[in-house]
Amino acid sequence: MSAQTPPTRQNYADAVGGAPVGVEASSPAWADAAASGHAGWAGHHSADEILRAAAEWVWMPGGSEHDEGDIHLARYPARFGGGVRGSRVRSCHDARTVVERAVERTREWGESTLTIWTSGSDAPGLDDELRRRGAEHIDTVAVFALPLDAAAISVPSGIESEIVRTMEQVRDVDAINVDVWQQQPLDAEGLQAELDDVRAALADGSGLRVLARIDGEAVSTAGCTIVGGFTRLWGAATLPHARGRGAYRAVLAERLRASGQRGAATALVKGRHATSAPILARCGFTHFGDERAFRLAV
């Protein structure tokens, strides 16, 4: 993992907790209120710019193989769960052809699982074709944005946030990620590489990692990457015993503050419906649509 990219596709979203806890079939209660803020975006990034930025936000872990064609495909290393992830569809072919080519490439790689993230900006849309093939809808994230000059996140007293700069802090980040995301801990070499990435991103202004502490204990972490005037918020993870106490708000507020200092104008985030999405809506973020994950056995 690095300071500029989240360690797994799961925490590509700002999810507060761990793995998905269910897929909502209908619009959640927070969605209408979060969508009502579109009119207040005059003078900021447009809805089209936000949706394009969200669609272009594709991550490939270190050691992955990737294929840029009708759909962006990435074969994940075993440490990140293996399998193939697809996203960002840009094709003149129909949905059946796009999915069939993705399936063929997955088989060529020797993998048996293909997970495709779809969005409203895909051309063509793949949802119906994936359902026709029996793909399982396993996750949904909401795309949110907020002008940084409108950010006002309240954080409960007793919670401290900090930017990650040291090896001790990197170890704290890794411990949280191992617990929340059920991933393997980094070895000494991996920890040093992470620290190098953290420091490089801070030096060139391209991103950062933050920690939140309660009574001195590191309980929450998250990162952000600054690209083209947007700060992409990712990788939020909070230890189970500390959830519901404001730790997510703390890492959210610190990233917004630090990103504004580094020239970003708009925060872009993908939050899970069941975890961070309601918090983001209450914090003033505007909902611009959803992205859905479908898993297909090939």
Side-chain angles (χ1 to χ4, degrees):
M1 64 184 174
S2 78
Q4 301 181 62
T5 51
T8 70
R9 176 65 203 204
Q10 279 188 316
N11 48 354
Y12 169 62
D14 245 35
V16 180
V21 293
V23 177
E24 299 194 29
S26 59
S27 179
W30 51 262
D32 290 341
S36 66
H38 284 222
W41 279 77
H44 299 94
H45 285 106
S46 68
D48 285 344
E49 289 172 328
I50 289 166
L51 291 174
R52 282 198 301 270
E56 290 167 1
W57 183 357
V58 176
W59 174 68
M60 294 170 288
S64 64
E65 300 176 58
H66 44 98
D67 186 304
E68 290 278 4
D70 297 316
I71 179 173
H72 176 270
L73 298 173
R75 182 190 187 190
Y76 276 30
R79 178 176 183 268
F80 298 98
V84 175
R85 274 66 159 184
S87 60
R88 198 174 63 192
V89 182
R90 298 289 183 271
S91 178
C92 60
H93 300 290
D94 60 22
R96 177 173 295 195
T97 301
V98 172
V99 174
E100 185 57 41
R101 289 181 175 180
V103 168
E104 290 175 0
R105 189 69 182 99
T106 300
R107 290 171 176 163
E108 289 173 2
W109 270 325
E111 299 288 351
S112 60
T113 302
L114 170 63
T115 302
I116 293 180
W117 282 84
T118 68
S119 78
S121 66
D122 289 341
L126 302 184
D127 292 47
D128 290 344
E129 176 61 18
L130 289 166
R131 292 190 181 98
R132 187 189 71 80
R133 289 173 174 263
E136 180 187 3
H137 179 194
I138 60 170
D139 201 2
T140 300
V141 296
V143 176
F144 285 98
L146 176 71
L148 291 186
D149 59 13
I153 312 299
S154 62
V155 178
S157 61
I159 303 177
E160 298 179 350
S161 58
E162 60 198 44
I163 294 176
V164 174
R165 305 176 188 274
T166 69
M167 178 59 76
E168 181 180 0
Q169 291 172 311
V170 167
R171 290 194 180 97
D172 286 338
V173 168
D174 191 53
I176 294 169
N177 283 332
V178 167
D179 186 300
V180 172
W181 303 113
Q182 303 294 299
Q183 65 187 40
Q184 300 172 21
L186 292 171
D187 58 17
E189 182 179 354
L191 289 168
Q192 185 60 54
E194 173 71 0
L195 178 60
D196 292 343
D197 286 345
V198 164
R199 288 175 170 170
L202 285 173
D204 65 19
S206 62
L208 52 95
R209 261 277 185 188
V210 301
L211 278 168
R213 298 182 186 273
I214 299 178
D215 297 327
E217 179 192 7
V219 298
S220 185
T221 185
C224 62
T225 305
I226 300 170
V227 179
F230 288 92
T231 180
R232 299 169 174 174
L233 309 180
W234 48 258
T238 301
L239 294 176
H241 71 272
R243 293 174 194 164
R245 300 171 62 184
Y248 177 72
R249 281 178 171 266
V251 295
L252 176 60
E254 181 63 11
R255 286 179 293 169
L256 298 183
R257 182 197 66 78
S259 295
Q261 289 183 340
R262 289 161 174 78
T266 301
L268 182 66
V269 58
K270 301 179 182 183
R272 286 213 169 85
H273 280 213
T275 55
S276 57
I279 301 174
L280 291 163
R282 290 195 297 271
C283 287
F285 279 75
T286 301
H287 181 214
F288 284 89
D290 292 338
E291 296 183 356
R292 296 157 296 282
F294 293 87
R295 180 180 295 151
L296 186 64
V298 302

